[in-house]
């Protein structure tokens, strides 16, 4: 078990790096940040030559791969970090310095168990993209197919393990301090559970066989959307550290000028992306959760191809039903029903008033309903919803964080393609049809029969359990078990004061990045 001093030293180094690059200025100036935290952040930059303009991407690169992943997440949330920070962080998506081929080659040959020459007729030593976890090379197989070869950076698993170990420790210290102070905002945001969720997501990204399996599964579920293409996996050339898949020869959706010059129908591409995401998230419950512009390509005949399947989201059918009803209720202005769903799903504690929550939702939805179509935004709606969560003690739902993030990301990409698109109008027909299909009279009767039979079967066991141990239909799944972590007690000697200071500055800042 890593000693508390080691964790504290890591956190102090990370906080100092962030401060040195000016990356904590936003937190320091945020009037909503606790005054004590702002003072500690100022202390972290004492003696540092802080640049006039924050260099966020440089700071995250300097900290390491796990921090880069946080930076990639923040790049999709300009509503939180601001447009300037999001733009700077965006270059973390696929523009990191690559490792030399001499370092990558042994990784490929050891992982696949064969020399490169026996697998590929041609292998380009210069990568086409490099990110925090892996880099991608173009190659031609011995049977003549052009493929993309994604190779895990050597040693990245160990780096992530060390970083996440410290994230877990820091989150535990923060929650303990929050409980000692009587509980508050930190407890509502559940930093330990957020870190545990991030750890599971990362485990999938660090095993390229799981990424390959995710791509294969997504291709099957998206058969009903022929305009959305998922590249085929080359399984014989794929392992835990190497992923080989079909090469996508298209134009990145980030290159709007090239798309226009090539004659693509940009509004159609935007609608295709929105419908593909809705089918994945609502109809199938399995969605690509990293749909930024660098991972999306335009193909001939206005089709879209996606790459990079390391981050995927999964939602069970009950939760999808509730989410579809919430989305449809906001689209149609049925705030009372949306409020009831939040209570039934356990998102809002029962001691609050349904009618009051419905009024708060109305305050979010109605101003948007009066705006021109091109000014209405899912991102704006989510930002407003987040602002009322504190008043109603809504606990952070880690299983929905990916969905929320991806919804904002998809809207951003779609809006860049077609500034006049509105996700609400585009989504409504799809959501209506899905609700009608899934929740129509026949489906409702069938679901009730199945549910009743299952309830009778479980009756002896249900009698022995208390209701509070089960989430309401559509609610959050049970939290994963969290490992025991030693809590540093403050109250004796300068060493404990030093630990408290370092943890308060660095770990709170790191956890704030995760939650954001």
């Amino acid at each position: 078990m890593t000693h508390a001093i080691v964790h504290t030293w890591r956190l102090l180094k990370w906080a100092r790096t962030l401060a040195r690059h000016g990356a904590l200025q936003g937190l320091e100036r945020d009037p909503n940040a606790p005054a004590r935290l702002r003072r500690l952040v100022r202390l972290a930059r004492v003696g540092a030559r802080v640049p006039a303009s924050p260099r966020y991407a440089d700071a995250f690169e300097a900290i390491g791969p796990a921090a880069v992943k946080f930076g990639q997440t923040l790049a999709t949330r300009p509503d939180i970090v601001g447009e300037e920070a999001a733009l700077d962080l965006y270059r973390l998506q696929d523009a990191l310095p690559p490792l030399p081929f001499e370092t990558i080659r042994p990784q490929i040959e050891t992982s696949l168990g064969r020399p490169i020459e026996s697998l590929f007729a041609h292998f380009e030593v210069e990568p086409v993209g490099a990110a925090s976890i892996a880099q991608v090379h173009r190659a031609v197989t011995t049977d003549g197919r052009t493929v993309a070869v994604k190779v895990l950076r050597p040693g990245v698993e160990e780096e992530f393990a060390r970083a996440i170990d410290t994230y877990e420790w820091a989150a535990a210290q923060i929650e303990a301090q929050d409980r000692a102070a009587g509980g508050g905002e930190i407890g509502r945001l559940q930093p330990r559970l957020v870190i545990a969720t991030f750890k599971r997501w990362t485990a999938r990204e660090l095993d390229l066989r799981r990424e390959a399996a995710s791509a294969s599964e997504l291709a099957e579920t998206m058969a009903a959307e022929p305009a959305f293409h998922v590249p085929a996996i080359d399984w014989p050339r794929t392992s835990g550290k190497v992923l080989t898949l079909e090469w996508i020869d298209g134009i990145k959706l980030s290159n709007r000028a090239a798309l226009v010059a090539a004659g693509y129908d940009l509004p159609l591409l935007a609608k295709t992306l929105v419908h593909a995401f809705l089918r994945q998230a609502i109809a199938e419950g399995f969605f690509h959760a990293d749909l930024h512009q660098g991972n999306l390509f335009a193909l001939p005949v206005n089709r879209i191809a996606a790459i990079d399947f390391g981050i995927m989201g999964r939602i069970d059918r009950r939760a999808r039903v509730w989410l579809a009803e919430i989305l449809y209720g906001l689209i149609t202005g049925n705030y009372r029903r949306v409020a009831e769903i939040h209570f039934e799903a356990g998102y809002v504690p029962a001691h609050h008033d349904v009618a009051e929550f419905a009024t708060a939702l109305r305050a979010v939805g109605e101003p948007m309903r009066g705006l021109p179509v091109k000014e209405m935004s899912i991102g704006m709606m989510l930002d407003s919803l987040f602002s009322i969560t504190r008043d109603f003690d809504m606990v952070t739902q880690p299983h929905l964080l990916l969905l929320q993030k991806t919804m904002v990301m998809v809207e951003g990409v779609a809006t860049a393609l077609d500034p006049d698109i509105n996700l609400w109008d585009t989504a409504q027909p799809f959501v209506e049809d899905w609700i009608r299909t899934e929740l129509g009279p026949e489906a409702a009767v069938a679901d009730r029969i199945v549910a009743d039979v299952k309830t009778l079967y479980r009756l002896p066991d249900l009698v022995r359990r208390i209701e509070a141990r089960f989430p309401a239909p559509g609610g959050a799944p049970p939290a994963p078990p969290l490992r025991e972590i030693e809590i540093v007690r403050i109250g004796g000697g300068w060493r404990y004061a030093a630990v408290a200071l370092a943890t308060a500055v660095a770990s709170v800042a790191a956890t704030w990045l995760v939650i954001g």
Side-chain angles (χ1 to χ4, degrees):
M1 179 179 294
T2 307
H3 197 280
I5 293 177
V6 176
H7 289 307
T8 303
W9 176 245
R10 288 176 187 165
L11 291 166
L12 188 58
K13 287 194 300 181
W14 296 342
R16 185 66 173 172
T17 300
L18 290 170
R20 191 173 64 249
H21 289 82
L24 294 181
Q25 290 181 15
L27 183 60
E28 181 180 343
R29 298 168 182 170
D30 186 353
N32 295 318
R36 182 180 179 187
L37 175 60
R38 294 201 301 272
R39 288 195 298 269
L40 292 171
V41 168
R42 284 195 292 271
L43 182 61
R45 64 169 170 80
V46 170
R49 300 180 61 180
V50 180
S53 299
R55 300 198 303 267
Y56 300 98
D58 292 343
F60 288 114
E61 280 188 46
I63 293 173
V68 169
K69 295 306 296 182
F70 290 152
Q72 291 174 350
T73 299
L74 289 174
T76 69
R77 297 298 303 273
D79 54 316
I80 291 178
V81 301
E83 294 290 344
E84 181 183 357
L87 183 62
D88 185 62
L89 289 170
Y90 180 74
R91 64 188 176 87
L92 293 174
Q93 300 288 4
D94 57 3
L96 294 184
L99 293 176
F101 181 67
E102 293 74 19
T103 304
I104 289 295
R105 179 177 183 130
Q107 179 88 314
I108 299 172
E109 296 183 332
T110 300
S111 184
L112 296 180
R114 295 169 61 186
I116 283 184
E117 290 77 13
S118 67
L119 296 164
F120 304 100
H122 175 70
F123 196 98
E124 296 183 6
V125 297
E126 292 296 325
V128 295
S132 59
I133 288 179
Q135 61 189 54
V136 179
H137 295 256
R138 183 172 178 168
V140 178
T141 63
T142 50
D143 55 357
R145 291 176 293 106
T146 303
V147 293
V149 183
K150 183 174 183 178
V151 187
L152 214 62
R153 288 173 174 254
V156 72
E157 302 101 313
E158 293 77 12
E159 291 185 54
F160 263 80
R162 287 193 295 268
I164 292 176
D165 188 33
T166 296
Y167 294 161
E168 289 179 318
W169 182 87
Q173 309 308 312
I174 294 170
E175 287 195 2
Q177 293 179 29
D178 182 69
R179 287 194 299 271
E185 182 71 0
I186 294 297
R188 185 182 69 82
L189 295 174
Q190 302 186 95
R192 289 193 68 193
L193 191 55
V194 171
I195 297 297
T197 303
F198 175 77
K199 184 177 182 179
R200 293 199 303 275
W201 297 343
T202 303
R204 174 180 293 179
E205 286 197 82
L206 292 173
D207 184 348
L208 297 185
R209 286 170 303 189
R210 293 183 64 182
E211 180 175 343
S214 294
S216 177
E217 181 178 352
L218 186 64
E220 290 182 5
T221 60
M222 290 301 291
E225 293 283 344
F228 188 86
H229 179 69
V230 178
I233 302 299
D234 186 337
W235 287 104
R237 295 173 176 83
T238 293
S239 67
K241 300 178 187 296
V242 178
L243 167 61
T244 304
L245 68 167
E246 171 191 356
W247 177 263
I248 298 298
D249 192 9
I251 301 174
K252 283 190 177 183
L253 294 194
S254 57
N255 194 345
R256 196 174 194 277
L259 293 172
V260 172
Y264 281 97
D265 184 337
L266 301 194
L268 179 57
L269 288 175
K271 290 181 180 179
T272 297
L273 176 62
V274 172
H275 275 267
F277 168 70
L278 290 173
R279 177 169 297 281
Q280 292 172 38
I282 295 179
E284 304 296 341
F286 184 66
F287 61 95
H288 191 308
D290 201 17
L291 290 172
H292 63 76
Q293 292 174 317
N295 283 340
L296 295 165
F297 294 80
L299 301 180
V301 201
N302 292 302
R303 297 163 64 234
I304 291 178
I307 61 171
D308 196 353
F309 306 92
I311 306 177
M312 305 295 291
R314 195 180 295 277
I315 313 173
D316 66 26
R317 184 181 178 278
R318 293 184 307 168
R320 299 202 310 274
V321 170
W322 294 100
L323 287 169
E325 286 192 328
I326 288 172
L327 182 58
Y328 185 62
L330 289 172
I331 290 172
T332 59
N334 190 350
Y335 305 111
R336 175 74 186 196
R337 180 55 188 151
V338 177
E340 291 171 348
I341 291 168
H342 276 75
F343 278 78
E344 292 167 7
Y347 297 154
V348 179
H351 65 267
H352 285 288
D353 184 78
V354 176
E356 284 298 316
F357 188 63
T359 300
L361 291 172
R362 181 178 293 274
V364 171
E366 285 303 304
M368 292 176 55
R369 290 166 67 81
L371 291 176
V373 167
K374 65 180 180 180
E375 295 182 22
M376 295 175 66
S377 167
I378 286 287
M380 184 190 305
M381 181 271 291
L382 287 176
D383 187 47
S384 299
L385 280 178
F386 294 154
S387 70
I388 68 172
T389 58
R390 183 181 295 105
D391 296 336
F392 289 89
D393 302 316
M394 291 176 63
V395 176
T396 300
Q397 303 291 339
H399 74 297
L400 296 181
L401 288 177
L402 272 181
L403 181 69
Q404 294 170 343
K405 177 179 77 75
T406 310
M407 286 179 67
V408 174
M409 194 184 306
V410 167
E411 183 181 46
V413 176
T415 303
L417 291 170
D418 177 14
D420 292 325
I421 193 175
N422 172 244
L423 199 59
W424 299 101
D425 290 344
T426 306
Q428 182 169 351
F430 183 92
V431 175
E432 277 184 338
D433 182 66
W434 190 82
I435 290 178
R436 187 180 302 112
T437 301
E438 295 293 318
L439 304 182
E442 298 84 358
V445 171
D447 286 350
R448 176 56 61 87
I449 292 173
V450 172
D452 288 347
V453 171
K454 289 183 176 179
T455 299
L456 288 173
Y457 181 78
R458 299 195 315 266
L459 190 57
D461 184 55
L462 291 173
V463 171
R464 292 189 295 268
R465 297 177 183 270
I466 58 174
E467 184 177 355
R469 292 188 59 186
F470 294 90
L482 301 176
R483 68 185 181 91
E484 293 295 325
I485 294 177
E486 180 183 2
I487 304 300
V488 174
R489 303 297 179 185
I490 302 174
W494 65 269
R495 288 185 296 272
Y496 292 106
V499 169
L501 177 63
T503 302
V505 175
S507 66
V508 173
T511 304
W512 174 79
L513 292 175
V514 179
I515 294 171

